[in-house]
Amino acid sequence: MMKEIKVAARWWASQLKKHKLSAKQIKTFEKELQKHLFNKYKGHWYNHEPLKGHAYRSILYDDQNRAVDEVLLESARAAKISDFVDLLLLTSGLIMWVDPGQVSIKIFIYPIVQDIYVSLPDDMLSNVQPQQTQAVAALVY
């Protein structure tokens, strides 16, 4: 769970790096988001059933409708980022899913879901042939 949370928090923090914020603000935001996500996902993380709790573990950022997930807003407040919603302005918004072994995003204006992190279970990796190793390594963050 922690790997997926770190990947998610790092991705959101990377979106803030495009703006004139201090390194301390960005790092605080990232650490606070990790903390909030961990607390939210406790008891809602099912390694053997990754889709169970899938909607609960989503993170919404919809700037057009001003609907922003509370974990993002709380993390921004802790980092003293006052104009968080206006600062990001990510196209028409997006949704991120943080699931066991996978972190993905869907930008509202595009029809596809993009994986930003995929971890294959050990039993799947043991069945990989040597010539497939390079392709598998490209999938794993």
Side-chain angles (χ1 to χ4, degrees):
M1 178 167 74
M2 283 311 299
K3 178 64 177 176
E4 291 88 345
I5 287 173
K6 286 180 181 181
V7 168
R10 187 169 299 133
W11 186 89
W12 286 103
S14 75
Q15 302 309 299
L16 293 173
K17 289 179 182 177
K18 300 172 185 175
H19 305 284
K20 294 186 183 207
L21 296 171
S22 71
K24 182 180 178 183
Q25 284 178 296
I26 293 169
K27 194 67 172 166
T28 300
F29 173 83
E30 184 176 342
K31 291 293 182 189
E32 286 293 316
L33 185 54
Q34 287 177 22
K35 181 179 76 174
H36 290 300
L37 291 175
F38 179 78
N39 289 333
K40 181 178 179 179
Y41 297 164
K42 275 189 309 194
H44 297 276
W45 195 264
Y46 310 96
N47 284 322
H48 298 294
E49 294 180 74
L51 293 181
K52 183 177 180 182
H54 176 74
Y56 182 79
R57 292 186 306 270
S58 65
I59 304 169
L60 177 67
Y61 176 86
D62 182 352
D63 59 342
Q64 289 185 350
N65 295 311
R66 308 297 275 185
V68 180
D69 199 292
E70 193 60 33
V71 295
L72 295 174
L73 296 174
E74 289 174 9
S75 301
R77 278 192 289 274
K80 298 184 178 19
I81 301 170
S82 58
D83 52 351
F84 179 77
V85 176
D86 294 327
L87 193 62
L88 282 182
L89 290 176
L90 296 170
T91 63
S92 66
L94 65 86
I95 189 164
M96 173 184 277
W97 293 279
V98 182
D99 296 318
Q102 183 177 20
V103 178
S104 53
I105 60 171
K106 166 130 183 22
I107 298 173
F108 293 166
I109 61 172
Y110 298 115
I112 60 168
V113 173
Q114 177 185 354
D115 290 332
I116 59 173
Y117 171 78
V118 177
S119 175
L120 298 176
D122 290 339
D123 58 336
M124 286 180 71
L125 287 174
S126 64
N127 294 327
V128 174
Q129 301 301 317
Q131 65 270 24
Q132 295 172 309
T133 303
Q134 198 169 29
V136 170
L139 292 173
V140 179
Y141 183 76

